[in-house]
Amino acid sequence: MKRTRLQFTLLSLLFVLQGIVGVAQEQVLSKAEAIAQTLENNYNIAVAGNSVLIAENNADLLNSNYLPTVFGLAGTNYSVQDQSTDRDDGGSFDLNNAKSETYNASVNLEYTLFDGLGRLYNYRSLKETYNLSKLEARETIENTVLQLFSVYYEVARLTKNVEILEQTLEISRNRVKRAGYQFDYGQNTKLEVLNAEVDVTNDSINLMNTRQLLQNTKRDLNVVLARDLKEGFAVDTNVVFIPKIQLESYIDMAEENNVRILQSESAITLSEYNIQSSKARFLPTVGLSGSYGWNQSISPASAFFGGSTRQNTGWQGGLSLRWNLFDGGTSITQFKNAKIAKNNQELLKQQIKLEVARDVANALGNYENLVEVFEIQEQNVITNKNNFERSKERFNLGQITSIEFRQAQINLINAQTNKNLAKYDAKFAELQLLQQIGQLLNIEF
């Protein structure tokens, strides 16, 4: 009996030391800090941000075709030929290895004065593509924030469960001591001691498994935060729900703020620009060109002239007009297809609006149901606490068996863990609702 008590004493000391070390090393990671680190470090968000930068570069004036093209040209030609010329007097003139050389260099400018407004709508399309990329980045951020809090609240739930199981284990250890003393004084049987020891063993294993699951989940959170997996921390386990009246005001503006609906509207705008751009193919293109160049040619002697060197330096400019009167029907086909594509985007918007309305209704229903479940579980914890305290008093007085006491203890554990689960499920459901109504990134956590 003394050896068994020593073993349980050492086991208790081990759990206490683990708890002290854990508390000493872990700093609380607040929800605001978690969001800030995620926005700064998360790889998916970084990739989305780079995509926005690419779209922004594409929408710049330098990529608009509004600026002229300036380029330089230079070249040289060298030839060696044998020449033979018949003269009018019947004689001939032969020249072997006649060398000819030409050199040229110029700076050229080309500029489109008018292209049927095609580049105007292409430029607007690039600007709208940039806006669409920002909406896509916002969607990535929203999904990542949801992922963050699904893990964050799981860490919080497991943290609270560890606290519950630590309290449970402490109660079970005290029961072992009490059963041991009662056995020593002949007040109960060895069976009571063994039952108490079995319960301590089960509680210890449950606590160890939950602690391990907690550490695994913390590593999952570190992955979302994109930081060292060994980084230790604790989380804020408090939960505050948004007032119902505030949620209702958000829901009323869901259609205006939902990111999927905003993306569909951006896609319709892009389709309209594509239609206008395809119309430009029916109009003429007016271009301007100019150059400043230098040319030199060195010619060999001929039958009538001696060798010569000529140089030209100067400006040259021109104006051109090109009008495709008929291109085989390609422009007509593109215009028709662009109109059909816009119609498709409008149909997709109606489908998305219907889906969003369904998703908002489902998210709201899930949220309200889970909040109600949480409230019921809160009351259930109060009931089971009262039942456990009463059972504890009766057990100490010897009015109920250890099996009945243990059942009351298990009922309390289940009620407390179910309450934790319901609380964080309800809060996460609230975040899912906020995403559907486009307010997830506008609230304070």
Side-chain angles (χ1 to χ4, degrees), residues 70-71 105-110 288-295 311-319:
V70 180
F71 57 95
S106 64
V107 177
N108 304 270
L109 178 144
E110 292 180 354
L288 175 68
S289 63
S291 67
Y292 180 82
W294 168 81
N295 294 276
Q311 287 190 10
N312 297 315
T313 304
W315 296 92
Q316 180 179 342
L319 190 66

Side-chain angles (χ1 to χ4, degrees), residues 140-348:
T140 298
I141 293 172
E142 287 181 351
N143 291 333
T144 304
V145 169
L146 268 186
Q147 180 190 13
L148 165 69
F149 279 105
S150 70
V151 184
Y152 188 97
Y153 286 136
E154 180 64 7
V155 172
R157 185 184 73 85
L158 291 171
T159 299
K160 298 299 290 184
N161 284 356
V162 165
E163 294 176 2
I164 293 169
L165 293 175
E166 286 175 343
Q167 295 171 1
T168 300
L169 180 59
E170 182 63 27
I171 293 172
S172 296
R173 286 199 298 259
N174 291 334
R175 204 176 114 217
V176 168
K177 293 179 182 178
R178 178 182 174 85
Y181 293 142
Q182 288 177 336
F183 177 73
D184 290 342
Y185 291 101
Q187 296 178 355
N188 63 18
T189 64
K190 180 67 174 179
L191 181 60
E192 291 291 333
V193 177
L194 295 175
N195 285 337
E197 291 176 353
V198 168
D199 291 339
V200 166
T201 300
N202 291 334
D203 291 342
S204 300
I205 292 173
N206 289 337
L207 178 57
M208 292 172 61
N209 289 338
T210 304
R211 280 178 174 168
Q212 182 59 49
L213 185 57
L214 175 60
Q215 293 304 315
N216 293 346
T217 310
K218 285 186 176 182
R219 280 187 281 270
D220 291 339
L221 186 56
N222 280 333
V223 169
V224 179
L225 298 173
R227 64 181 191 176
D228 189 354
L229 297 181
K230 297 179 181 178
E231 188 81 23
F233 61 93
V235 297
D236 181 6
T237 59
N238 294 323
V239 164
V240 178
F241 294 100
I242 295 177
K244 185 176 181 180
I245 188 172
Q246 187 176 352
L247 270 180
E248 290 174 349
S249 66
Y250 289 157
I251 292 173
D252 292 338
M253 298 185 297
E255 193 169 304
E256 301 173 15
N257 297 316
N258 180 272
V259 69
R260 292 183 61 202
I261 293 179
L262 294 176
Q263 286 174 344
S264 68
E265 292 173 349
S266 180
I268 291 174
T269 302
L270 284 172
S271 298
E272 179 60 34
Y273 290 152
N274 287 337
I275 292 175
Q276 298 300 328
S277 180
S278 64
K279 283 182 179 179
R281 296 171 62 91
F282 297 112
L283 298 176
T285 300
V286 180
L288 175 68
S289 63
S291 67
Y292 180 82
W294 168 81
N295 294 276
Q296 176 177 289
S297 63
I298 302 174
S299 303
S302 66
F304 305 101
F305 303 99
S308 64
T309 299
R310 298 177 60 190
Q311 287 190 10
N312 297 315
T313 304
W315 296 92
Q316 180 179 342
L319 190 66
S320 64
L321 182 145
R322 179 184 175 89
W323 197 342
N324 288 332
L325 300 178
F326 183 69
D327 62 357
T330 302
S331 297
I332 296 175
T333 302
Q334 288 187 354
F335 176 67
K336 289 180 178 179
N337 288 342
K339 293 179 69 175
I340 295 172
K342 180 186 176 183
N343 184 53
N344 282 342
Q345 290 298 335
E346 290 173 342
L347 293 173
L348 287 174

